[in-house]
Amino acid sequence: MLIPRENLKLFGHQEQREALINAFHSKRFPHGWIVAGPFGIGKATFAFHLARYILSGRQDGNTNFAENEPFHRQIVAQSHSDVWTLGDEETREIGVESIRELNGHLNQTSTTGGWRIVIIDGADKLNRSAANALLKRLEEPPPRTVFFLITSVPGRLLPTIRSRCQFLTLNPLNEEDCQDVLRSQG
């Protein structure tokens, strides 16, 4: 099974994908997104899928990419200098040091001169100090930076964090999409 950063296929969530792409191409693209929904439905895959689109510079709404595209390989290798990820499904807690390190990176300019992406998988696992440090960054985001806060339990996020982000709820996959996922995995 592919981990979210490796997965080039997005199953389901087409309505939410289009909503985010339309927002991205609008004049007022929100800098913070809470991607919420039940455990295991592809929230992190969704975030990486849209991160690739944002970083690609495409304008056509096509979010399909090939495995050999350089920025995709960099994301998989965790070596893309404009993508930061914290946490995953197994993370127990995200501490303030991780957010301080992230903030240090965000104080620098983008390496490519384009967008920067922050993906926090399991954002509900931010401890109190980390959540407050992130809140300060969300209140004054760097230009051309987007945060994807992924959670199965959005109620655990600070209300002030929730108020500074656009909510995007992903629903469980329908039967046809589940069959497609199973076929793709052999």
Side-chain angles (χ1 to χ4, degrees):
M1 187 101 175
L2 296 173
I3 61 173
R5 79 176 70 255
E6 297 171 336
N7 196 346
L8 285 168
K9 294 190 186 284
L10 180 65
F11 297 96
H13 315 307
Q14 293 308 309
E15 186 178 312
Q16 294 87 346
R17 182 189 68 83
E18 288 182 26
L20 199 141
I21 288 172
N22 287 338
F24 178 67
H25 291 297
S26 73
K27 293 181 187 212
R28 295 189 45 87
F29 181 55
H31 66 276
W33 293 84
I34 295 173
V35 182
F39 178 80
I41 62 166
K43 296 179 299 294
T45 299
F46 178 88
F48 279 103
H49 198 78
L50 274 293
R52 281 190 291 274
Y53 180 78
I54 291 168
L55 292 170
S56 74
R58 289 184 181 174
Q59 299 292 313
D60 60 2
N62 178 5
T63 61
N64 294 318
F65 293 91
E67 201 170 312
N68 64 352
E69 293 190 53
F71 65 90
H72 168 66
R73 290 188 309 206
Q74 290 173 333
I75 289 171
V76 170
Q78 297 181 2
S79 63
H80 194 295
S81 57
D82 291 330
V83 178
W84 294 279
T85 58
L86 298 174
D88 60 25
E89 292 175 351
E90 279 108 49
T91 301
R92 294 175 93 57
E93 180 179 86
I94 299 171
V96 70
E97 287 305 315
S98 297
I99 300 300
R100 286 181 181 151
E101 185 178 337
L102 168 68
N103 284 335
H105 289 294
L106 292 177
N107 287 335
Q108 301 168 12
T109 58
S110 165
T111 305
T112 62
W115 284 87
R116 295 181 297 180
I117 310 290
V118 176
I119 298 174
I120 302 177
D121 192 357
D124 51 279
K125 297 172 186 169
L126 290 161
N127 68 27
R128 189 81 160 162
S129 298
N132 284 321
L134 177 63
L135 175 62
K136 289 179 182 171
R137 184 52 77 173
L138 289 170
E139 288 172 340
E140 297 178 27
R144 297 175 60 91
T145 300
V146 63
F147 294 83
F148 289 107
L149 308 180
I150 301 165
T151 181
S152 296
V153 193
R156 288 190 188 160
L157 295 172
L158 291 177
T160 47
I161 287 178
R162 292 193 312 257
S163 72
R164 286 173 178 62
C165 296
Q166 183 74 30
F167 231 86
L168 195 62
T169 301
L170 303 187
N171 300 312
L173 299 177
N174 63 35
E175 186 175 329
E176 183 181 327
D177 290 330
C178 286
Q179 290 174 355
D180 289 342
V181 170
L182 292 172
R183 276 192 288 279
S184 77
Q185 299 300 313

